[in-house]
Amino acid sequence: MKIAFVAGFFNPVKEALDEVYSGHLKNGAVVWIPQEEVNTLPPPRAVNLREFASQFLDRIQNAESVLILLAIPTGQEWVESSIWQIVERGVNNNPDLSFFDVLPFRDASDRAGVLGAIKTFVLPIIATIGPEKIRARVAQGKILCVSCDTKTRIFESLRRAGFADEAIESCFEEEIVKSGKNSNLMDLFTERSKQYQHILYAWDGGLRYFHPKVKKKFSKPFEARTAAKVVERFKEWITEGD
């Protein structure tokens, strides 16, 4: 997946992104990182590094190509080196990453520059998966989605993978399990199998191994370490033959 991070710019740039790349903002191909919120005058202009680190280190795990557009106001040149420290941590954890770059901007209001850089980066066209596509495979009932409360939710990964909000609302049910409090998880799955025929299960965050005897209680179980990976497998099944 290609991801463009837009970090530390003024709100007019966000408004431009909303106009041109609203779908990509929604599915996570474009990630907006605001400036630090501090009650001082004049208002601060540095990017929120904590939010950038959280978003970047999460998203880069499943990225193939990453571009970071970074606003660096005069007098705050230290921001670029701080961003690179975070970038290097994430890049080292993803051997499949084929491209990454940090593109600095001196004007935090440069709408045209930001839009032009994203256009050159060439994000993929959004192909939305609606309820009818899912119902061609899962004729009735909802699909249970289970993940850990400390990791990316499966619902979020579904949106990033191009599933329409209408499809998520009508075809999926989400259950979040607390990390470290899942000793009865297989009992929970056994009970849920009476209501759901399909399950998407992401075990990252310390959740329990999906026991084969319990897994067989579902007509079509999908499991993987991360929400992104289990959604990828489910999407391949849904779109098989396209």
Side-chain angles (χ1 to χ4, degrees), residues 3 5 31-34 49-61 156 160:
I3 305 176
F5 291 84
V31 181
W32 170 259
I33 308 295
L49 290 174
R50 178 173 296 183
E51 182 167 348
F52 176 82
S54 175
Q55 293 270 18
F56 181 79
L57 296 176
D58 173 43
R59 300 304 312 284
I60 198 174
Q61 296 180 55
E156 179 61 27
R160 294 173 182 176

Side-chain angles (χ1 to χ4, degrees), residues 9-67:
F9 289 84
F10 292 138
N11 283 333
V13 174
K14 175 60 164 57
E15 293 170 1
L17 293 174
D18 287 334
E19 293 174 6
V20 181
Y21 290 104
S22 60
H24 291 90
L25 282 165
K26 196 170 186 179
N27 76 357
V30 175
V31 181
W32 170 259
I33 308 295
Q35 297 173 349
E36 186 75 42
E37 291 186 9
V38 180
N39 294 324
T40 60
L41 290 175
R45 296 187 293 174
V47 62
N48 187 323
L49 290 174
R50 178 173 296 183
E51 182 167 348
F52 176 82
S54 175
Q55 293 270 18
F56 181 79
L57 296 176
D58 173 43
R59 300 304 312 284
I60 198 174
Q61 296 180 55
N62 301 292
E64 297 175 356
S65 185
V66 171
L67 176 65

Side-chain angles (χ1 to χ4, degrees), residues 84-109:
W84 270 110
Q85 290 176 18
I86 298 169
V87 169
E88 289 170 359
R89 285 170 54 196
V91 168
N92 290 337
N93 290 328
N94 183 356
D96 297 326
L97 192 67
S98 61
F99 171 84
F100 68 92
D101 195 15
V102 178
L103 185 59
F105 285 74
R106 295 298 175 180
D107 181 2
S109 298

Side-chain angles (χ1 to χ4, degrees), residues 6 8 11 58 83 112 172 191 194 235 242:
V6 183
N11 283 333
D58 173 43
I83 288 291
F172 298 88
E191 187 63 28
K194 300 175 184 177
K235 184 177 179 180
D242 283 3

Side-chain angles (χ1 to χ4, degrees), residues 23-220:
H24 291 90
L25 282 165
K26 196 170 186 179
N27 76 357
V30 175
V31 181
W32 170 259
I33 308 295
Q35 297 173 349
E36 186 75 42
E37 291 186 9
V38 180
N39 294 324
T40 60
L41 290 175
R45 296 187 293 174
V47 62
N48 187 323
L49 290 174
R50 178 173 296 183
E51 182 167 348
F52 176 82
S54 175
Q55 293 270 18
F56 181 79
L57 296 176
D58 173 43
R59 300 304 312 284
I60 198 174
Q61 296 180 55
N62 301 292
E64 297 175 356
S65 185
V66 171
L67 176 65
I68 300 163
L69 310 181
L70 176 65
I72 307 178
T74 302
Q76 299 190 39
E77 287 76 12
W78 56 269
V79 170
E80 186 170 9
S81 61
S82 297
I83 288 291
W84 270 110
Q85 290 176 18
I86 298 169
V87 169
E88 289 170 359
R89 285 170 54 196
V91 168
N92 290 337
N93 290 328
N94 183 356
D96 297 326
L97 192 67
S98 61
F99 171 84
F100 68 92
D101 195 15
V102 178
L103 185 59
F105 285 74
R106 295 298 175 180
D107 181 2
S109 298
D110 190 355
R111 296 163 48 120
V114 167
L115 293 179
I118 295 176
K119 182 178 181 180
T120 301
F121 188 48
V122 189
L123 292 172
I125 297 173
I126 298 173
T128 301
I129 298 175
E132 67 287 343
K133 190 70 176 177
I134 297 169
R135 289 307 179 199
R137 282 286 197 176
V138 183
Q140 59 185 0
K142 290 197 172 185
I143 301 154
L144 180 62
C145 301
V146 181
S147 58
C148 183
D149 64 339
T150 62
K151 297 297 180 178
T152 302
R153 295 171 49 188
I154 290 179
F155 271 27
E156 179 61 27
S157 290
L158 286 167
R159 292 188 179 92
R160 294 173 182 176
F163 286 79
D165 285 343
E166 180 187 1
I168 295 173
E169 182 179 349
S170 63
C171 300
F172 298 88
E173 195 75 38
E174 187 170 47
E175 185 143 359
I176 304 298
V177 180
K178 289 187 176 181
S179 177
K181 296 184 178 181
N182 55 86
S183 59
N184 65 338
L185 192 56
M186 292 304 106
D187 292 335
L188 174 67
F189 284 171
T190 298
E191 187 63 28
R192 293 292 184 267
S193 68
K194 300 175 184 177
Q195 180 181 356
Y196 303 96
Q197 294 186 358
H198 301 77
I199 183 171
L200 306 185
Y201 176 44
W203 67 75
D204 199 16
L207 300 190
R208 291 181 175 269
Y209 172 69
F210 204 163
H211 196 283
K213 288 180 63 177
V214 179
K215 191 188 304 185
K216 289 180 180 179
K217 296 181 181 293
F218 294 89
S219 297
K220 192 69 177 178

